[in-house]
Amino acid sequence: MNQIQTPDRRRVSILGATGSIGCNTLDVMTHLGGRDAFEVPAITGMGNIDLLAQQARGIGAGFAVTADPDRYQDLKSALSGSGVEAGAGPSALVEAGARDTDLLVAGIVGIAGLAPTLAAVSSGADIALANKECLVSAGELFGAAMAAGGGKLLPVDSEHNAIFQVLEQNQRHAVERIILTASGGPFRDYTLEQMAAVTPETAAAHPNWSMGLKISIDSASMFNKALEMIEARHLFDMRPEQIEVIVHPQSVIHSMVGYSDGSVLAQLGAPDMRTAIGYAISHPRRASLPVERLDLAKLARLDFIAPDETRFPALALARTAMQRGGLQGAVLNGAKEAALDAFICGRIGFLDMADIVAAAMDQLDDGRLPQAIEDVYAADRDARMVAGTLISKLAQCS
Ligand code: NAD
Ligand code: MG
């Protein structure tokens, strides 16, 4: 049953509710009072209809949407008698984003999250952004849309959330650099020969964080860090040379900001996304969350290692994309998504992913600046086409 509206319940919609970020978000919301504290205008998912319906009933969502247009009847049946409205397909997804809300958690994976997130941005909602692809692909346009909409942009990605926490707004003139930490993933110490032979299953086994399949494999290739470098550039208005990456295997320092007096401010915590999600949902007040507290004596040491860009070329590709500007972020992301899908279904090898992205970026480096969001989608399509041709060639050879 839909709840009776009370004025002090905070309205929070969730895109990608059935994923890792979405489930963690609902867990945090449950801890912070559940239906008594939150009204949920809309939630979305894709193939997992049972979970989506269960979540919608549990939190009393107004509107539940599956991205799969063929699953409308399944969702409608699963929601029967609940009072939750059902929707399906791309336009319903955008409608879910546009429904009046105070805060939208953007937790869809990939560029598929861009259109519904932009719909929420335009409605003036605050955005708790996990979907880094929005900024990687459409950085300037997304920033302009945020400014026009008037909402706050709250980073959920743990590194960016950490920076957000320690970036002193009245000391912006003194910020020299930001230092993104990276766990190094499961192949941190692998040779290139070993990496050439890894499977999607081993690539998905992240040593510290429990996350969705795609971001876990992106962490193994360090494409996740590459995306995060570009994300940081747009979120914090940094020049490419101000963005550093350091491998920190314990994932306890979530990122740092270096200032002109030599100070480096860091945010530390257990590797649990609920801290960043809770911070974004509760901003500007810190919430009380049931996450593990750091035991520094037990931890004993924190290690730092310079990243190896020969074994992890994704980092250099991010730098190239930032230096070239224009639509290179959209191309990097589109080619990466296509290559990642091909790796997941066994068509190409792990190391092929970076070669495909590099080739697509070179081939589509025309210096064009995006004027409208359609330009971003066109660059994404072109990148997938170029990547697709390369994937077919590689798949034939194997
Ligand atoms: P996930 O795969 O666990 O969940 C993705 C969600 O998006 C699911 O609800 C799924 O149904 C939905 N979805 C998938 N494809 C879709 C499509 N084409 N159209 C509409 N909906 C679709 O992913 P995740 O790990 O929760 O990651 C979500 C986003 O958050 C990604 O951009 C990721 O980079 C970012 N992120 C995740 C974590 C994490 O801990 N999982 C941390 C930092 C950032
Ligand atoms: Mg991250």
Side-chain angles (χ1 to χ4, degrees):
M1 275 310 209
N2 280 340
Q3 290 218 340
I4 297 159
Q5 285 197 12
T6 50
D8 49 2
R9 281 197 306 156
R10 188 155 155 71
R11 295 173 305 169
V12 177
S13 287
I14 310 168
L15 300 176
T18 54
S20 165
I21 288 289
C23 290
N24 274 314
T25 300
L26 283 163
D27 185 73
V28 167
M29 287 165 69
T30 303
H31 278 287
L32 298 181
R35 296 168 73 129
D36 293 335
F38 297 100
E39 182 191 334
V40 178
I43 65 172
T44 78
M46 198 157 75
N48 197 340
I49 300 294
D50 290 343
L51 178 60
L52 181 62
Q54 182 196 323
Q55 290 176 328
R57 285 173 184 274
I59 199 74
F63 188 35
V65 171
T66 166
D68 184 347
D70 298 332
R71 303 296 303 275
Y72 176 73
Q73 277 309 332
D74 294 340
L75 181 60
K76 200 166 160 47
S77 315
L79 290 171
S80 158
S82 65
V84 182
E85 186 187 345
S91 58
L93 213 58
V94 169
E95 193 190 330
R99 289 266 166 119
D100 232 6
T101 189
D102 299 315
L103 176 86
L104 176 114
V105 178
I108 289 176
V109 61
I111 198 165
L114 181 57
T117 305
L118 276 175
V121 169
S122 303
S123 79
D126 292 342
I127 307 293
L129 189 73
N131 179 285
K132 59 195 85 185
E133 295 88 349
C134 282
L135 285 174
V136 174
S137 300
E140 287 86 1
L141 293 174
F142 194 89
M146 280 300 316
K152 277 188 299 195
L153 184 55
L154 301 156
V156 166
D157 211 347
S158 58
E159 296 77 2
H160 307 75
N161 185 267
I163 294 164
F164 188 79
Q165 293 194 36
V166 297
L167 186 64
E168 298 175 327
Q169 286 307 328
N170 56 353
Q171 305 289 350
R172 287 297 298 237
H173 64 281
V175 174
E176 281 184 344
R177 57 184 176 147
I178 59 176
I179 307 163
L180 297 172
T181 53
S183 70
F187 308 142
R188 195 182 66 230
D189 301 320
Y190 276 37
T191 62
L192 276 170
E193 291 69 34
Q194 287 174 308
M195 280 159 110
V198 299
T199 62
E201 289 71 33
T202 47
H206 198 281
N208 304 337
W209 296 92
S210 158
M211 307 182 289
L213 175 72
K214 292 185 177 180
I215 185 178
S216 296
I217 300 178
D218 280 350
S219 297
S221 63
M222 291 192 82
F223 261 113
N224 182 48
K225 210 51 54 184
L227 301 183
E228 289 180 356
M229 291 165 74
I230 305 174
E231 180 185 14
R233 168 170 170 68
H234 293 299
L235 266 174
F236 305 115
D237 198 17
M238 292 284 146
R239 297 187 305 280
E241 61 274 18
Q242 289 180 290
I243 301 167
E244 297 178 12
V245 172
I246 189 86
V247 175
H248 164 46
Q250 291 91 354
S251 299
V252 164
I253 296 183
H254 295 143
S255 279
M256 298 170 256
V257 177
Y259 292 90
S260 56
D261 61 357
S263 296
V264 174
L265 301 194
Q267 185 262 351
L268 287 71
D272 186 329
M273 284 308 293
R274 291 177 302 173
T275 297
I277 292 168
Y279 186 92
I281 288 183
S282 311
H283 190 266
R285 273 174 67 87
R286 282 185 192 272
S288 167
L289 296 170
V291 299
E292 187 189 327
R293 279 14 178 198
L294 280 186
D295 181 339
L296 292 170
K298 196 165 142 205
L299 201 62
R301 56 183 272 184
L302 298 175
D303 296 311
F304 303 97
I305 310 153
D308 176 352
E309 296 197 2
T310 309
R311 288 183 304 128
F312 297 101
L315 302 178
L317 291 174
R319 220 162 280 121
T320 302
M322 288 191 283
Q323 271 145 9
R324 288 182 183 168
L327 286 156
Q328 284 275 295
V331 172
L332 180 150
N333 183 67
K336 193 279 296 172
E337 287 196 33
L340 175 59
D341 287 341
F343 173 66
I344 290 172
C345 37
R347 297 189 70 205
I348 60 168
F350 185 75
L351 296 177
D352 293 332
M353 290 192 285
D355 291 342
I356 289 167
V357 173
M361 284 172 61
D362 287 344
Q363 201 168 320
L364 297 169
D365 177 24
D366 58 9
R368 272 189 310 130
L369 291 175
Q371 307 296 330
I373 207 71
E374 288 69 30
D375 298 336
V376 172
Y377 289 122
D380 177 73
R381 272 196 306 275
D382 292 348
R384 285 168 196 270
M385 212 135 68
V386 172
T389 308
L390 296 169
I391 289 163
S392 300
K393 275 192 199 149
L394 285 166
Q396 275 167 12
C397 298
S398 63

